[in-house]
Amino acid sequence: MYQRIAFGQKRERFEADATQLPLPFQTPAVEVEQQQELLEEQINYVRKRQSAHKGRTPLPAHLPVEEVEIYPEGDLTQMVCIGKEVTEELDCDPARFFIRRYIRYKYAHEHQEGVSIGTLPERVIDKGIPGAGLLASILVDKYMDHLPLYRQKQRFARENIPIATSTIEGWAKQALERLEPLYEQLLFDTKAKGYLQADETPIKVLESNKKGACHQGYYWVYHSPLDKTVLFDYRPTRGAAGAQVLDSFTGYLQTDGYGVYEKIGARQEVVHLACWAHARREFEKALGNDAKRAGVALLYIQQLYAVERKAREEELDAAAIKQLRLEKSLPLLNELGKWLVEEVKQTLPKSQIGKAMSYSIARWDALSAYLYDGELQIDNNLVENAIRPVALGRKNYLFAGSHQAAQRAAMIYSFFAICKKQEVNPYQWLKHTLQNIMTINH
């Protein structure tokens, strides 16, 4: 296991027919000749494919076009233009900084008291310098593109815009505070969902009772697959107190095998769904311990996922997906369940294959519960995908400055994850929100 962590591949792909025999030190002459013929066929195929290429993908039609006209050198007065050739390239300018100056004219009546002046638009930061577009750019760069604030300060410096690090931090903090009412509404809506996927991920926080150490906090993440919303909720602990969002939850809850979720799933009003990706991962780890039996289990799981792939490709509705699962997946689950019960008796409990079998058997009802409804997912991968930006961000900014800062980061991670799920441009959404949230009746 340690050799794989240090030197091996991270992917978990399983290929049933990928059996490779030991390679000889010298290849026989006949095989060399066959290999040469195969290589020539591949080269001819590539050349043929390249010659039949239909051309590059057209550039997006919504982009503005800057035309550059180029004429032949020399005297053209006696010549006639017979056509033109057009060549296009995609180019860009660096981020453009500019000053928006509001000039409000004041008027007074000739014969009456009082002065009239135009109303200044609502500012994101009262009496502050940054506009909504700049604040949106700073937050998207940090939390979507993982560019820490100190690197953004260097970019400002290259444009001869001197801004202190503390100033940029203050801008980000105040912009995030404007989004708190929206986050509170998202929190309220998430608690009312009837189907949630949950997971958690660590985040280091500078506040710690131990000098020179960071506190290990956690983002508890909740994903609603039906309407594609995501909630990040920061808590200082990974214990049961961290899952406050699920205190009054009723409905389908899909998680990994963490004990806190097991206790919540045991409540009468909750139907607990386990994750086949986690169960599969245990068998994939066991390939080095017992390749034969681990391969059998992985083949069964491959067939379960083949049913899900077919449902996606045919774009079936929930009722049709449930029927397909009952016809195809249920017999596979029954066969796999019987096989596991028989094989686990002949397995060392503490071996990796034994642990993999025990993991699945202990959660068998939860692993099979996705058959209840076609809207349910076979695994927890959707919420794990939503967590990935946090893992990338941690490698860049390393930690949050305080528990409050970690919770503010949880807010913007939530909104950006929803933008990604809904295929919305996060910069455009955030700029529009910051421009309008102060004038909306919450």
Side-chain angles (χ1 to χ4, degrees), residues 155-229:
R155 187 165 58 187
F156 282 113
R158 287 196 298 269
E159 300 292 334
N160 278 332
I161 305 175
I163 299 176
T165 303
S166 59
T167 302
I168 302 179
E169 292 173 353
W171 289 352
K173 175 183 176 181
Q174 293 181 72
L176 290 172
E177 287 174 346
R178 296 293 182 265
L179 302 175
E180 287 179 356
L182 193 61
Y183 180 79
E184 292 297 327
Q185 184 64 44
L186 175 62
L187 178 62
F188 178 82
D189 290 343
T190 302
K191 290 180 178 180
K193 304 296 183 187
Y195 173 31
L196 285 178
Q197 297 177 322
D199 203 355
E200 74 289 332
T201 189
I203 178 70
K204 292 186 182 298
V205 182
L206 276 184
E207 290 189 11
S208 175
N209 296 328
K210 187 177 179 181
K211 186 176 180 181
C214 285
H215 176 81
Q216 180 86 313
Y218 287 87
Y219 288 128
W220 293 74
V221 188
Y222 307 93
H223 172 239
S224 174
L226 300 184
D227 45 12
K228 298 180 181 179
T229 60

Coordinates of all heavy atoms in Angstrom, one line a residue, residues 155-229:
R155 N -0.1 41.0 -8.8 CA -0.6 41.4 -10.1 C -1.0 42.8 -10.1 O -0.8 43.5 -11.1 CB -1.9 40.5 -10.4 CG -2.4 40.7 -11.8 CD -3.4 39.6 -12.2 NE -4.5 39.5 -11.2 CZ -5.4 38.5 -11.3 NH1 -5.3 37.5 -12.2 NH2 -6.4 38.4 -10.4
F156 N -1.6 43.3 -9.0 CA -1.9 44.8 -8.9 C -0.6 45.6 -9.0 O -0.5 46.6 -9.7 CB -2.6 45.1 -7.6 CG -4.0 44.7 -7.5 CD1 -4.5 43.7 -6.7 CD2 -4.9 45.4 -8.3 CE1 -5.8 43.4 -6.6 CE2 -6.3 45.1 -8.3 CZ -6.7 44.1 -7.4
A157 N 0.5 45.1 -8.4 CA 1.7 45.8 -8.4 C 2.3 45.9 -9.8 O 2.9 47.0 -10.2 CB 2.7 45.2 -7.5
R158 N 2.1 44.9 -10.6 CA 2.6 44.9 -12.0 C 1.9 46.0 -12.8 O 2.5 46.5 -13.8 CB 2.4 43.6 -12.7 CG 3.4 42.5 -12.2 CD 3.4 41.3 -13.1 NE 2.2 40.6 -13.2 CZ 1.8 39.6 -12.5 NH1 2.6 39.2 -11.5 NH2 0.6 39.1 -12.7
E159 N 0.7 46.3 -12.4 CA -0.1 47.4 -13.1 C 0.1 48.8 -12.4 O -0.7 49.7 -12.7 CB -1.5 47.0 -13.2 CG -1.8 45.7 -13.9 CD -1.6 45.8 -15.4 OE1 -1.7 46.9 -15.9 OE2 -1.3 44.8 -16.0
N160 N 1.1 48.9 -11.5 CA 1.3 50.1 -10.8 C 0.1 50.6 -10.0 O -0.2 51.8 -10.0 CB 1.8 51.2 -11.8 CG 3.2 51.2 -12.1 OD1 4.0 50.7 -11.3 ND2 3.6 51.6 -13.3
I161 N -0.5 49.6 -9.3 CA -1.7 49.9 -8.5 C -1.3 49.5 -7.1 O -1.4 48.3 -6.7 CB -3.0 49.2 -8.9 CG1 -3.3 49.5 -10.4 CG2 -4.1 49.6 -8.0 CD1 -4.4 48.8 -10.9
P162 N -0.7 50.4 -6.2 CA -0.3 50.0 -4.9 C -1.4 49.7 -3.9 O -2.2 50.7 -3.6 CB 0.6 51.2 -4.5 CG 0.0 52.3 -5.2 CD -0.5 51.8 -6.5
I163 N -1.6 48.5 -3.5 CA -2.7 48.1 -2.6 C -2.1 47.2 -1.5 O -1.5 46.2 -1.9 CB -3.9 47.4 -3.3 CG1 -4.5 48.4 -4.4 CG2 -5.0 47.0 -2.3 CD1 -5.6 47.7 -5.2
A164 N -2.3 47.5 -0.3 CA -1.8 46.7 0.8 C -2.5 45.4 0.9 O -3.7 45.3 0.6 CB -1.9 47.5 2.1
T165 N -1.8 44.4 1.4 CA -2.4 43.1 1.6 C -3.6 43.2 2.5 O -4.6 42.5 2.3 CB -1.4 42.1 2.1 OG1 -0.2 42.0 1.3 CG2 -2.0 40.7 2.3
S166 N -3.5 43.9 3.6 CA -4.6 44.0 4.6 C -5.8 44.7 3.9 O -6.9 44.4 4.3 CB -4.1 44.9 5.8 OG -3.7 46.2 5.4
T167 N -5.6 45.6 3.0 CA -6.7 46.2 2.3 C -7.5 45.2 1.4 O -8.7 45.2 1.5 CB -6.2 47.4 1.4 OG1 -5.5 48.3 2.2 CG2 -7.3 48.1 0.7
I168 N -6.7 44.4 0.7 CA -7.4 43.4 -0.2 C -8.1 42.4 0.7 O -9.3 42.0 0.4 CB -6.4 42.6 -1.0 CG1 -5.6 43.6 -1.9 CG2 -7.0 41.6 -1.9 CD1 -4.6 43.0 -2.8
E169 N -7.5 42.0 1.9 CA -8.2 41.1 2.8 C -9.5 41.7 3.3 O -10.5 41.0 3.4 CB -7.3 40.7 3.9 CG -6.1 39.9 3.5 CD -5.1 39.7 4.6 OE1 -5.3 40.3 5.7 OE2 -4.1 38.9 4.5
G170 N -9.5 43.0 3.6 CA -10.7 43.7 4.1 C -11.7 43.7 3.1 O -12.9 43.6 3.4
W171 N -11.4 44.0 1.8 CA -12.3 44.0 0.7 C -13.0 42.6 0.6 O -14.3 42.6 0.5 CB -11.6 44.3 -0.6 CG -11.2 45.7 -0.7 CD1 -11.4 46.8 0.1 CD2 -10.4 46.3 -1.8 NE1 -10.8 47.9 -0.3 CE2 -10.2 47.6 -1.5 CE3 -9.8 45.7 -2.9 CZ2 -9.4 48.5 -2.3 CZ3 -9.0 46.5 -3.7 CH2 -8.9 47.9 -3.5
A172 N -12.2 41.6 0.6 CA -12.8 40.2 0.5 C -13.7 39.9 1.6 O -14.8 39.4 1.4 CB -11.7 39.2 0.4
K173 N -13.3 40.3 2.8 CA -14.2 40.0 4.0 C -15.5 40.8 3.9 O -16.6 40.2 4.1 CB -13.4 40.5 5.3 CG -14.3 40.4 6.5 CD -13.5 40.9 7.7 CE -14.4 40.8 9.0 NZ -13.6 41.4 10.2
Q174 N -15.5 42.1 3.6 CA -16.7 42.8 3.5 C -17.6 42.4 2.4 O -18.9 42.4 2.5 CB -16.4 44.3 3.4 CG -15.7 44.9 4.6 CD -15.4 46.4 4.5 OE1 -16.3 47.2 4.6 NE2 -14.1 46.7 4.3
A175 N -17.0 42.0 1.3 CA -17.9 41.5 0.2 C -18.6 40.2 0.5 O -19.7 40.0 0.2 CB -17.0 41.3 -1.1
L176 N -17.9 39.3 1.2 CA -18.5 38.1 1.7 C -19.6 38.3 2.7 O -20.6 37.6 2.7 CB -17.4 37.1 2.2 CG -16.4 36.6 1.2 CD1 -15.3 35.8 1.9 CD2 -17.1 35.6 0.2
E177 N -19.4 39.3 3.6 CA -20.4 39.6 4.6 C -21.7 40.1 3.9 O -22.8 39.8 4.5 CB -19.9 40.7 5.5 CG -18.8 40.1 6.5 CD -18.2 41.2 7.3 OE1 -18.4 42.4 7.0 OE2 -17.5 40.9 8.3
R178 N -21.6 40.7 2.7 CA -22.8 41.1 2.0 C -23.7 39.9 1.6 O -24.9 40.0 1.3 CB -22.5 42.0 0.8 CG -21.8 43.2 1.1 CD -22.7 44.2 1.9 NE -22.1 45.5 2.1 CZ -21.5 45.8 3.3 NH1 -21.4 44.9 4.3 NH2 -20.9 46.9 3.5
L179 N -23.0 38.7 1.4 CA -23.7 37.5 0.9 C -24.4 36.7 2.1 O -25.0 35.7 1.8 CB -22.7 36.7 0.2 CG -22.0 37.3 -1.0 CD1 -21.0 36.3 -1.6 CD2 -23.0 37.7 -2.1
E180 N -24.2 37.1 3.3 CA -24.7 36.3 4.4 C -26.2 36.1 4.4 O -26.7 35.0 4.6 CB -24.3 37.0 5.7 CG -22.9 36.8 6.1 CD -22.5 37.5 7.4 OE1 -23.4 38.2 8.0 OE2 -21.3 37.4 7.8
P181 N -27.1 37.1 4.0 CA -28.5 36.8 3.9 C -28.8 35.7 2.9 O -29.7 34.9 3.1 CB -29.1 38.1 3.6 CG -28.1 39.2 4.0 CD -26.8 38.5 3.8
L182 N -28.1 35.7 1.8 CA -28.3 34.7 0.8 C -27.9 33.3 1.3 O -28.6 32.3 1.0 CB -27.5 35.1 -0.5 CG -27.9 34.4 -1.8 CD1 -29.3 34.6 -2.2 CD2 -26.9 34.8 -2.9
Y183 N -26.8 33.3 2.0 CA -26.4 32.0 2.5 C -27.3 31.5 3.6 O -27.6 30.3 3.6 CB -25.0 32.2 3.2 CG -24.4 30.9 3.8 CD1 -23.8 29.9 3.0 CD2 -24.5 30.7 5.1 CE1 -23.3 28.8 3.5 CE2 -23.9 29.6 5.7 CZ -23.4 28.6 4.9 OH -22.9 27.4 5.4
E184 N -27.9 32.4 4.4 CA -28.9 31.9 5.4 C -30.1 31.3 4.7 O -30.7 30.3 5.2 CB -29.3 33.1 6.3 CG -28.2 33.6 7.2 CD -27.7 32.6 8.2 OE1 -28.5 31.8 8.6 OE2 -26.5 32.6 8.5
Q185 N -30.5 31.9 3.6 CA -31.6 31.3 2.9 C -31.3 29.9 2.3 O -32.1 29.0 2.3 CB -32.1 32.3 1.8 CG -33.3 31.8 1.0 CD -34.5 31.7 1.9 OE1 -34.8 32.7 2.7 NE2 -35.3 30.7 1.8
L186 N -30.0 29.8 1.8 CA -29.6 28.5 1.3 C -29.5 27.5 2.4 O -29.9 26.3 2.2 CB -28.2 28.7 0.6 CG -27.5 27.4 0.2 CD1 -28.3 26.7 -1.0 CD2 -26.1 27.7 -0.3
L187 N -29.1 27.9 3.6 CA -29.1 27.0 4.7 C -30.5 26.5 5.1 O -30.7 25.3 5.3 CB -28.4 27.7 5.9 CG -28.3 26.9 7.2 CD1 -27.5 25.6 7.0 CD2 -27.7 27.8 8.3
F188 N -31.4 27.4 5.1 CA -32.8 27.1 5.4 C -33.4 26.1 4.4 O -34.1 25.2 4.7 CB -33.6 28.4 5.5 CG -35.1 28.2 5.8 CD1 -35.6 28.0 7.0 CD2 -36.0 28.2 4.7 CE1 -36.9 27.8 7.3 CE2 -37.4 28.0 4.9 CZ -37.8 27.8 6.2
D189 N -33.1 26.4 3.1 CA -33.7 25.6 2.0 C -33.1 24.2 2.1 O -33.7 23.2 1.8 CB -33.4 26.2 0.7 CG -34.2 27.4 0.4 OD1 -35.2 27.7 1.1 OD2 -33.8 28.2 -0.5
T190 N -31.8 24.1 2.4 CA -31.1 22.8 2.4 C -31.6 21.9 3.5 O -31.8 20.7 3.3 CB -29.6 23.0 2.6 OG1 -29.1 23.8 1.5 CG2 -28.8 21.6 2.6
K191 N -32.0 22.5 4.6 CA -32.5 21.7 5.7 C -33.9 21.1 5.4 O -34.3 20.1 6.0 CB -32.6 22.5 7.0 CG -31.3 22.9 7.6 CD -31.5 23.8 8.9 CE -30.2 24.1 9.5 NZ -30.4 24.9 10.7
A192 N -34.5 21.7 4.4 CA -35.9 21.2 4.0 C -35.8 20.2 2.9 O -36.9 19.7 2.5 CB -36.8 22.4 3.6
K193 N -34.7 19.8 2.4 CA -34.6 18.9 1.3 C -34.9 17.5 1.8 O -34.7 17.1 2.9 CB -33.2 18.9 0.7 CG -32.7 20.2 0.2 CD -33.5 20.8 -0.9 CE -32.9 22.1 -1.4 NZ -33.8 22.7 -2.4
G194 N -35.5 16.7 0.8 CA -35.8 15.3 1.1 C -34.8 14.3 0.7 O -34.9 13.1 1.0
Y195 N -33.8 14.7 0.0 CA -32.7 13.8 -0.5 C -31.4 14.6 -0.5 O -31.2 15.6 -1.2 CB -33.0 13.3 -1.9 CG -31.9 12.4 -2.5 CD1 -31.0 11.7 -1.7 CD2 -31.8 12.4 -3.9 CE1 -30.0 10.9 -2.3 CE2 -30.8 11.6 -4.5 CZ -29.9 10.9 -3.7 OH -28.9 10.2 -4.2
L196 N -30.5 14.2 0.4 CA -29.2 14.9 0.5 C -28.0 13.9 0.4 O -28.2 12.8 0.9 CB -29.1 15.7 1.8 CG -29.9 17.0 1.9 CD1 -29.7 17.6 3.3 CD2 -29.5 18.0 0.9
Q197 N -27.0 14.3 -0.2 CA -25.7 13.6 -0.1 C -24.8 14.4 0.8 O -24.7 15.6 0.7 CB -25.1 13.4 -1.5 CG -25.9 12.6 -2.4 CD -25.3 12.5 -3.8 OE1 -24.8 13.5 -4.3 NE2 -25.4 11.3 -4.5
A198 N -24.1 13.7 1.7 CA -23.2 14.5 2.6 C -21.8 13.9 2.7 O -21.6 12.7 2.5 CB -23.9 14.4 4.0
D199 N -20.9 14.8 3.0 CA -19.5 14.4 3.1 C -18.8 15.5 3.9 O -19.4 16.6 4.1 CB -18.8 14.1 1.8 CG -17.6 13.2 1.9 OD1 -17.2 12.9 3.0 OD2 -17.0 12.9 0.8
E200 N -17.6 15.3 4.3 CA -16.8 16.3 5.0 C -15.4 16.3 4.6 O -14.9 15.3 4.1 CB -16.9 16.2 6.5 CG -16.1 15.0 7.1 CD -16.7 13.7 6.8 OE1 -17.9 13.5 6.5 OE2 -15.9 12.7 6.7
T201 N -14.7 17.5 4.7 CA -13.3 17.6 4.3 C -12.6 18.6 5.3 O -13.2 19.5 5.7 CB -13.2 18.1 2.9 OG1 -11.8 18.0 2.4 CG2 -13.7 19.6 2.7
P202 N -11.3 18.3 5.6 CA -10.7 19.1 6.6 C -10.2 20.5 6.1 O -10.0 20.6 4.9 CB -9.5 18.3 7.0 CG -9.2 17.4 5.8 CD -10.5 17.2 5.2
I203 N -10.0 21.4 7.0 CA -9.5 22.8 6.6 C -8.7 23.2 7.9 O -9.2 23.2 9.0 CB -10.6 23.8 6.2 CG1 -10.0 25.1 5.9 CG2 -11.6 23.9 7.3 CD1 -9.1 25.2 4.7
K204 N -7.5 23.7 7.7 CA -6.7 24.2 8.8 C -7.0 25.6 9.1 O -7.2 26.4 8.1 CB -5.2 24.1 8.4 CG -4.7 22.6 8.4 CD -3.2 22.6 8.2 CE -2.7 21.1 8.0 NZ -2.9 20.3 9.2
V205 N -7.1 25.9 10.4 CA -7.5 27.3 10.8 C -6.4 27.8 11.8 O -6.0 27.0 12.7 CB -8.9 27.3 11.5 CG1 -9.3 28.7 11.9 CG2 -9.9 26.7 10.5
L206 N -6.0 29.0 11.6 CA -4.9 29.5 12.5 C -5.2 29.6 13.9 O -4.4 29.5 14.8 CB -4.5 30.9 12.0 CG -3.5 31.0 10.8 CD1 -3.1 32.4 10.5 CD2 -2.3 30.2 11.1
E207 N -6.5 29.8 14.3 CA -6.9 29.8 15.7 C -6.7 28.5 16.3 O -7.3 27.5 15.9 CB -8.3 30.3 15.8 CG -8.5 31.7 15.5 CD -9.9 32.2 15.8 OE1 -10.7 31.5 16.5 OE2 -10.3 33.3 15.4
S208 N -5.9 28.4 17.4 CA -5.6 27.1 18.0 C -5.1 27.4 19.5 O -4.5 28.4 19.7 CB -4.5 26.3 17.3 OG -4.2 25.2 18.0
N209 N -5.5 26.6 20.4 CA -5.1 26.8 21.8 C -3.7 26.4 22.0 O -3.0 26.8 23.0 CB -6.0 25.9 22.7 CG -7.4 26.3 22.7 OD1 -7.7 27.5 22.5 ND2 -8.4 25.4 22.8
K210 N -3.1 25.6 21.0 CA -1.7 25.2 21.1 C -0.9 26.1 20.3 O -1.1 26.4 19.1 CB -1.6 23.8 20.6 CG -0.2 23.2 20.8 CD -0.2 21.7 20.3 CE 1.1 21.1 20.4 NZ 1.2 19.7 19.9
K211 N 0.1 26.7 20.9 CA 1.0 27.7 20.3 C 1.7 27.1 19.1 O 2.3 26.0 19.2 CB 2.0 28.3 21.3 CG 2.8 29.4 20.7 CD 3.7 30.0 21.7 CE 4.5 31.2 21.2 NZ 5.4 31.8 22.2
G212 N 1.7 27.8 18.0 CA 2.5 27.3 16.8 C 1.8 26.2 16.0 O 2.4 25.7 15.1
A213 N 0.5 25.9 16.3 CA -0.2 24.9 15.6 C -1.5 25.4 15.0 O -2.0 26.4 15.5 CB -0.5 23.7 16.6
C214 N -2.0 24.7 14.0 CA -3.3 25.1 13.4 C -4.4 24.2 13.9 O -4.2 23.0 14.2 CB -3.2 25.0 11.9 SG -2.3 26.3 11.1
H215 N -5.6 24.8 14.1 CA -6.7 24.0 14.5 C -7.2 23.2 13.2 O -7.3 23.8 12.1 CB -7.8 24.9 15.0 CG -9.1 24.1 15.4 ND1 -9.2 23.4 16.5 CD2 -10.2 23.9 14.7 CE1 -10.4 22.8 16.6 NE2 -11.1 23.2 15.5
Q216 N -7.6 22.0 13.4 CA -8.2 21.2 12.3 C -9.7 21.3 12.3 O -10.4 20.7 13.1 CB -7.8 19.7 12.5 CG -8.3 18.8 11.4 CD -7.4 18.7 10.2 OE1 -6.9 19.8 9.7 NE2 -7.1 17.6 9.7
G217 N -10.2 22.2 11.5 CA -11.7 22.3 11.3 C -12.2 21.5 10.1 O -11.4 20.8 9.4
Y218 N -13.5 21.5 9.9 CA -14.1 20.7 8.8 C -15.2 21.5 8.1 O -16.0 22.2 8.7 CB -14.6 19.4 9.4 CG -13.6 18.4 9.8 CD1 -13.0 18.5 11.1 CD2 -13.1 17.5 8.9 CE1 -12.0 17.6 11.4 CE2 -12.1 16.6 9.3 CZ -11.5 16.6 10.5 OH -10.5 15.8 10.9
Y219 N -15.2 21.3 6.8 CA -16.3 21.7 6.0 C -17.2 20.5 5.8 O -16.9 19.5 5.3 CB -15.9 22.2 4.6 CG -15.2 23.5 4.5 CD1 -13.9 23.6 3.9 CD2 -15.7 24.6 5.1 CE1 -13.3 24.8 3.8 CE2 -15.1 25.8 5.1 CZ -13.9 25.9 4.4 OH -13.2 27.1 4.4
W220 N -18.5 20.6 6.3 CA -19.5 19.6 6.1 C -20.3 20.1 4.9 O -20.8 21.2 4.8 CB -20.4 19.5 7.4 CG -19.7 19.0 8.6 CD1 -18.8 19.7 9.4 CD2 -19.8 17.7 9.1 NE1 -18.4 18.9 10.4 CE2 -19.0 17.7 10.3 CE3 -20.6 16.6 8.8 CZ2 -18.9 16.5 11.1 CZ3 -20.5 15.5 9.6 CH2 -19.6 15.4 10.7
V221 N -20.3 19.2 3.9 CA -20.8 19.5 2.6 C -22.1 18.7 2.3 O -22.1 17.5 2.5 CB -19.8 19.3 1.5 CG1 -20.3 19.8 0.2 CG2 -18.5 19.9 1.9
Y222 N -23.2 19.4 1.9 CA -24.4 18.8 1.6 C -24.9 19.1 0.2 O -24.9 20.3 -0.2 CB -25.5 19.2 2.6 CG -25.1 19.1 4.0 CD1 -24.5 20.2 4.7 CD2 -25.3 17.9 4.7 CE1 -24.1 20.0 6.0 CE2 -24.9 17.8 6.0 CZ -24.3 18.8 6.7 OH -23.9 18.7 8.0
H223 N -25.1 18.1 -0.6 CA -25.5 18.2 -2.0 C -26.9 17.7 -2.2 O -27.2 16.6 -1.8 CB -24.5 17.5 -2.9 CG -24.9 17.5 -4.4 ND1 -25.1 16.3 -5.1 CD2 -25.2 18.5 -5.2 CE1 -25.5 16.6 -6.3 NE2 -25.6 17.9 -6.4
S224 N -27.8 18.5 -2.9 CA -29.1 18.1 -3.3 C -29.1 17.7 -4.7 O -29.1 18.6 -5.6 CB -30.1 19.2 -3.0 OG -31.4 18.8 -3.5
P225 N -29.1 16.4 -5.1 CA -29.0 16.0 -6.5 C -30.2 16.4 -7.3 O -30.1 16.6 -8.5 CB -28.9 14.5 -6.4 CG -28.5 14.2 -5.0 CD -29.1 15.2 -4.2
L226 N -31.4 16.6 -6.7 CA -32.6 16.9 -7.5 C -32.6 18.3 -8.0 O -32.9 18.5 -9.2 CB -33.8 16.6 -6.6 CG -34.0 15.2 -6.1 CD1 -35.3 15.1 -5.3 CD2 -33.9 14.2 -7.2
D227 N -32.2 19.3 -7.2 CA -32.2 20.7 -7.8 C -30.8 21.2 -7.8 O -30.6 22.4 -8.0 CB -33.1 21.6 -6.9 CG -32.9 21.4 -5.4 OD1 -31.9 20.7 -5.1 OD2 -33.7 21.9 -4.7
K228 N -29.7 20.4 -7.6 CA -28.3 20.8 -7.9 C -27.9 22.0 -7.1 O -27.4 23.0 -7.6 CB -28.1 21.0 -9.4 CG -28.3 19.8 -10.3 CD -28.1 20.2 -11.7 CE -28.4 19.0 -12.6 NZ -28.1 19.3 -14.0
T229 N -28.1 21.9 -5.8 CA -27.6 22.9 -4.9 C -26.6 22.3 -3.9 O -26.7 21.1 -3.6 CB -28.7 23.6 -4.0 OG1 -29.4 22.6 -3.2 CG2 -29.7 24.3 -4.9

